[in-house]
Amino acid sequence: MAAHVFCTRLKCLLRDRATVFWTMAFPIILALLFNATLRNVDKISESFHPVEAAVIDNAAYEKDSFFKEALNAVSNGEGRIFDLTPVSEEEADDLLKDGTISGYFTAGDPVTVTAGGSGFEASLMQTFADSYLQMAYASANIMETQPQAYEKLMTSLNEKTEYLRDVSISDAEPDSAYSYFYSLLAMACLYAGFWGLKETEDIQADLSARAARVNTAPVKKGKMFFSSLAASFVISMTEILLLFLFLRYVLAIDFGMHTDLVLLTTAAGCLLGLSGGAFIGAVVRGSENLKTGVMLGLTMTGCMLAGMMYQGIRTQILENAPVVGWINPVNLLTDAYYNIYYMPSLGRFWSDIAALCAFIAVFSAGTFLKIRRQKYASL
């Protein structure tokens, strides 16, 4: 009988095209939009083009060897700040009017900057000039008042000792865009709550005529309910697996080498969404639209706090209010996916899974206790 209920319920649920759209098609559409806007965000933010600048090649510039050396230091090499061109004052004015350069330096006391506007390039040139003047005045003051200290200072500056070095905690390449896709997958898992909500609607006889007919069937209510939930889990898990395959092999989102753990996390996420939706359907009294609104409101709030709209929110919460992250199921799922991808140690991952299992247990127990106590005088 349980197998018959499972198969029949599977057919009924698949006919609900609206729910299939929101639980499968909608996350795929969001993934395409995320891919179009976020995939190269790190490359764009890290790209920097040297500022086209000039310096007036006059007697003052040739005489000021320190300024000349400082400009050469930031105008050569792969990480240079300026593409510097020594020109006469007339040529500099012509280049500035043509827009060939963003501005030009003039040596003297003090060093001045002439720019064609107030944008980023002009601000960078002025910042460099101000920093140079501060260092020059400080060095001149030390040399005048404490010559011995000045010699030690110059010696220490010439001796380049590296005290720090970059060490990656993982072989995985960090990519901030991945967190958005992981949050999207977590959201899709919680959208399984649509199916859980539908199951409680169709098992409580005082909510719909269909539920009343179900309660008159010669099958135990618990067996009917759990067979229906199994059908919902199969559908939601299939939808999330299709989304995962789309992210992994179509959009080339890297989830790391532990595919088995990714599938485990996805299954836990589907169970969480299913049990959470069923719990809301059981405890919230009101229309179906009200229950759907409550579920969507909680899910999207969790997505926002997990960084799906802006990644900085998740970082701020983890730094200032970590308890909010632990009671947010979307954040737990996102964190679990990210730990699989990036962290060499899986200790934090298993903590996330344990917290998810605790949520599932609470939601399932609450739903079971609420539904099994319901009795009807007549149907």
Side-chain angles (χ1 to χ4, degrees):
M1 180 59 70
H4 175 74
V5 173
F6 172 84
C7 295
T8 303
R9 190 60 182 168
L10 201 63
K11 296 176 183 178
C12 292
L13 294 174
L14 289 175
R15 293 193 183 103
D16 189 347
R17 296 181 180 179
T19 305
V20 170
F21 171 81
W22 288 109
T23 55
M24 184 174 69
F26 180 66
I28 291 177
I29 294 172
L30 280 183
L32 288 172
L33 295 175
F34 280 14
N35 186 68
T37 57
L38 298 173
R39 282 304 300 272
N40 295 320
V41 64
D42 283 346
K43 295 179 181 178
I44 294 173
S45 62
E46 292 175 0
S47 62
F48 173 78
H49 299 286
V51 177
E52 296 292 338
V55 61
I56 304 301
D57 191 5
N58 55 17
Y61 177 65
E62 293 296 335
K63 184 179 179 180
D64 194 345
S65 59
F66 291 105
F67 180 57
K68 191 174 184 179
E69 183 178 350
L71 272 179
N72 289 332
V74 295
S75 303
N76 293 299
E78 185 177 351
R80 65 188 183 279
I81 300 176
F82 303 117
D83 279 334
L84 193 66
T85 306
V87 294
S88 65
E89 188 170 356
E90 292 78 9
E91 291 175 328
D93 288 331
D94 293 338
L95 292 174
L96 189 59
K97 291 178 181 179
D98 295 340
T100 305
I101 60 175
S102 300
Y104 60 85
F105 297 99
T106 303
D109 190 11
V111 172
T112 60
V113 175
T114 303
S118 58
F120 169 76
E121 292 82 2
S123 299
L124 185 60
M125 294 179 66
Q126 188 62 53
T127 300
F128 170 78
D130 293 341
S131 299
Y132 169 76
L133 289 175
Q134 291 175 5
M135 290 295 296
Y137 290 150
S139 299
N141 184 47
I142 294 174
M143 183 173 60
E144 182 180 351
T145 58
Q146 301 181 24
Q148 295 180 351
Y150 177 77
E151 292 179 1
K152 292 181 180 180
L153 175 63
M154 296 306 296
T155 301
S156 63
L157 290 176
N158 291 328
E159 295 176 354
K160 297 181 179 180
T161 304
E162 295 290 340
Y163 295 99
L164 299 175
R165 61 190 180 94
D166 294 331
V167 178
S168 177
I169 62 175
S170 171
D171 294 333
E173 187 69 23
D175 192 331
S176 61
Y178 284 173
S179 292
Y180 293 98
F181 289 97
Y182 297 159
S183 297
L184 173 62
L185 188 59
M187 181 202 76
C189 288
L190 290 205
Y191 269 21
F194 282 114
W195 299 114
L197 190 62
K198 192 172 183 62
E199 294 301 343
T200 53
E201 285 286 326
D202 290 347
I203 202 66
Q204 298 181 82
D206 58 334
L207 297 182
S208 66
R210 176 185 295 177
R213 292 194 298 271
V214 168
N215 276 265
T216 60
V219 182
K220 289 185 178 180
K221 191 174 182 180
K223 181 183 294 187
M224 178 82 71
F225 184 60
F226 286 112
S227 298
S228 300
L229 281 178
S232 294
F233 175 76
V234 170
I235 293 175
S236 61
M237 189 66 184
T238 302
E239 291 172 336
I240 303 303
L241 286 178
L242 290 175
L243 176 62
F244 167 71
L245 293 174
F246 180 79
L247 293 174
R248 179 67 185 88
Y249 295 105
V250 178
L251 301 186
I253 304 300
D254 194 353
F255 285 84
M257 302 298 294
H258 300 284
T259 305
D260 53 341
L261 297 182
V262 174
L263 296 178
L264 172 65
T265 306
T266 302
C270 286
L271 285 174
L272 176 64
L274 200 62
S275 60
F279 180 75
I280 291 173
V283 301
V284 176
R285 308 308 298 175
S287 65
E288 183 179 357
N289 290 335
L290 174 62
K291 297 179 180 182
T292 302
V294 171
M295 195 203 75
L296 275 178
L298 293 175
T299 300
M300 298 316 296
T301 300
C303 291
M304 180 189 68
L305 297 179
M308 195 178 85
M309 291 74 173
Y310 171 59
Q311 188 181 12
I313 293 179
R314 179 172 179 265
T315 304
Q316 293 174 7
I317 289 176
L318 292 177
E319 291 177 353
N320 302 311
V323 66
V324 177
W326 283 107
I327 63 174
N328 180 7
V330 184
N331 179 71
L332 293 174
L333 284 169
T334 303
D335 193 58
Y337 286 125
Y338 193 78
N339 276 279
I340 294 172
Y341 167 71
Y342 191 67
M343 295 298 179
S345 174
L346 295 176
R348 178 65 178 266
F349 165 78
W350 291 114
S351 298
D352 293 332
I353 294 296
L356 291 173
C357 291
F359 273 108
I360 294 170
V362 171
F363 290 150
S364 300
T367 303
F368 177 73
L369 292 175
K370 181 67 177 178
I371 290 179
R372 70 186 295 267
R373 292 189 305 173
Q374 291 179 338
K375 303 293 182 181
Y376 306 102
S378 63
L379 294 176

